[in-house]
Amino acid sequence: METKHWTVSEQSFDKQAMEEAADLLRKGETIAFPTETVYGLGADATNEQAVRKIFEAKGRPSDNPLIVHVASKNQLEDLVEDVPEAAFTLLDAFSPGPITIILKSKGTVASNVSAGLDSIGIRIPSHPVGLRLLEEVGLPIAAPSANISGRPSPTKAEHVTHDLEGRIAGIMDGGPTGIGLESTVIDCTEAVPVILRPGGITAEAIEAVIGTVMIDPGLAGDEKEKPKAPGMKYTHYAPEAPLYLVEKDMQQHADKLAEDGEIVGIIATEELAQQLENERIQVCGTREDLSTVAQHLYDALRYFKKSDVSVILCESFGKQGVGAAIMNRLEKAATGSI
Ligand code: TXA
Ligand code: MG
């Protein structure tokens, strides 16, 4: 399949590109587009065959449900039942933005979107290009991250091209995404909302508007509890060489591995990078502001290719605020910690 490419700037939306992409979506094709978190791979959520193309292009397991993206709250009525008070409050506070709210499905989307569950995740992205495309097409758009399953999510259009060129109908390049990690997924079908995936909106920010929330015990990674978001049980975000999280003494660990013949790549913040001596360091934000680490993390994970380094060492972080989402992704990507 030939993949079309458009470059669209936030300042001057290319009308023709928007119309072409929206038209392909209406015809049941898959289009990658920017959101403020990561690039998504969209298809008409009401068209089962179109949705199937997403699973095929990504190699995604069919038991992993897709988030449904809409341009406005007015579209909710068609898609979900019983929107509880907390969900309205969250939508008012954080949408458009990096939050996905799980609600009871009305069954209007194709059955393969929700992978057999009676709920669906709804998200209104705030990226001007993504949001404009959703407005143009006017349909609910199912969209997972636009990467091959298991790889780090794409934060640049070139990551999408690398993974999916020739497998999807089009890629809309709107520049690098801002947040860099996926949306927070919060289940509002329970009396007390449960965070199923930490993300762009922190637990602290959510509690400030709706009071106490639970964190899915399955996220802790022990064997007994299965995560409630099916996608959280898979190994994810993995780079092509083994990755180890390093709590301290980065230089000593790197030297030891190099002595053993390994080619060591390091992912570190500016602060740590300044203290290190190593040929291959990928700087990933600053400790002063962890949102910069979130922003650059997936690009850093993609940067080291197997041919280049034989092992990757990555600095680790505290789990407060956006640190929770960063460490959630890193722990999934990592072979272990030292
Ligand atoms: O920021 C994001 O959320 C990006 C952009 C493209 O919007 N999308 C994204 O989609 O990360 P994906 O498919 O990579 O991750 C969706 C997560 C998965 O862990 C999935 O299992 C969970 O949301 N999920 C979706 N629908 C669900 C449902 N009804 N119940 C529980 N978990 C659900
Ligand atoms: Mg994903």
Side-chain angles (χ1 to χ4, degrees):
M1 171 188 294
E2 203 198 317
T3 304
K4 276 202 91 138
H5 289 259
W6 306 275
T7 304
V8 177
S9 86
E10 293 181 21
Q11 288 78 30
S12 61
F13 297 124
D14 178 341
K15 198 165 181 305
Q16 196 189 333
M18 285 294 168
E19 282 171 4
E20 275 177 27
D23 204 44
L24 284 165
L25 285 168
R26 279 187 216 105
K27 288 186 174 134
E29 295 299 337
T30 53
I31 301 289
F33 62 95
T35 83
E36 73 282 20
T37 57
V38 300
Y39 275 76
L41 179 61
D44 176 358
T46 64
N47 177 339
E48 178 153 6
Q49 246 176 313
V51 171
R52 193 180 309 138
K53 290 181 188 170
I54 293 179
F55 285 94
E56 283 168 5
K58 284 180 55 91
R60 182 180 177 105
S62 61
D63 67 348
N64 191 5
L66 305 178
I67 294 171
V68 176
H69 296 65
V70 293
S72 112
K73 277 180 250 177
N74 303 333
Q75 288 167 274
L76 246 67
E77 213 183 316
D78 291 342
L79 300 170
V80 297
E81 295 183 345
D82 323 327
V83 182
E85 194 60 37
F88 277 122
T89 310
L90 289 173
L91 283 165
D92 283 339
F94 303 116
S95 273
I99 191 162
T100 296
I101 300 182
I102 307 284
L103 294 164
K104 205 150 176 275
S105 174
K106 253 191 180 164
T108 40
V109 297
S111 61
N112 50 354
V113 170
S114 48
L117 300 174
D118 56 9
S119 60
I120 51 172
I122 304 279
R123 165 158 142 72
I124 308 175
S126 65
H127 192 292
V129 174
L131 193 54
R132 182 71 201 87
L133 179 62
L134 291 171
E135 282 163 5
E136 180 74 34
V137 68
L139 292 163
I141 295 295
S145 49
N147 51 283
I148 294 280
S149 273
R151 298 226 184 116
S153 295
T155 52
K156 295 177 174 170
E158 68 199 61
H159 299 156
V160 183
T161 305
H162 179 267
D163 279 15
L164 298 175
E165 179 75 27
R167 304 166 72 94
I168 61 177
I171 300 174
M172 185 169 279
D173 183 347
T177 61
I179 295 192
L181 296 179
E182 300 85 344
S183 63
T184 302
V185 177
I186 182 162
D187 185 351
C188 288
T189 64
E190 312 270 343
V192 179
V194 187
I195 294 180
L196 306 188
R197 177 175 74 180
I201 304 285
T202 63
E204 292 86 339
I206 289 174
E207 292 201 317
V209 297
I210 58 168
T212 309
V213 295
M214 302 227 317
I215 310 279
D216 180 4
L219 289 181
D222 65 45
E223 299 289 298
K224 277 172 277 153
E225 294 277 357
K226 218 168 82 192
K228 289 207 184 66
M232 300 308 283
K233 69 176 185 280
Y234 296 106
T235 317
H236 253 58
Y237 321 108
E240 289 170 38
L243 171 88
Y244 293 92
L245 297 180
V246 178
E247 270 166 38
K248 54 180 192 322
D249 304 328
M250 179 70 90
Q251 187 70 58
Q252 286 90 318
H253 290 300
D255 291 346
K256 174 82 180 52
L257 285 161
E259 265 169 45
D260 296 343
E262 302 282 358
I263 303 171
V264 183
I266 299 178
I267 299 174
T269 56
E270 281 165 24
E271 291 84 351
L272 178 62
Q274 275 170 10
Q275 303 165 20
L276 297 175
E277 266 179 59
N278 193 73
E279 256 176 60
R280 297 168 185 79
I281 301 178
Q282 184 67 357
V283 175
C284 172
T286 160
R287 279 207 165 251
E288 300 261 294
D289 177 4
L290 284 193
S291 71
T292 60
V293 175
Q295 205 173 353
H296 300 293
L297 185 65
Y298 287 148
D299 192 39
L301 289 177
R302 278 178 182 260
Y303 174 81
F304 292 119
K305 295 278 156 57
K306 199 170 201 143
S307 55
D308 192 4
V309 298
S310 61
V311 58
I312 304 169
L313 300 181
C314 180
E315 186 174 341
S316 67
F317 301 91
K319 292 185 180 173
Q320 304 77 33
V322 71
I326 293 170
M327 287 305 288
N328 170 268
R329 306 308 191 272
L330 279 175
E331 282 169 357
K332 280 175 182 295
T335 308
S337 45
I338 46 180

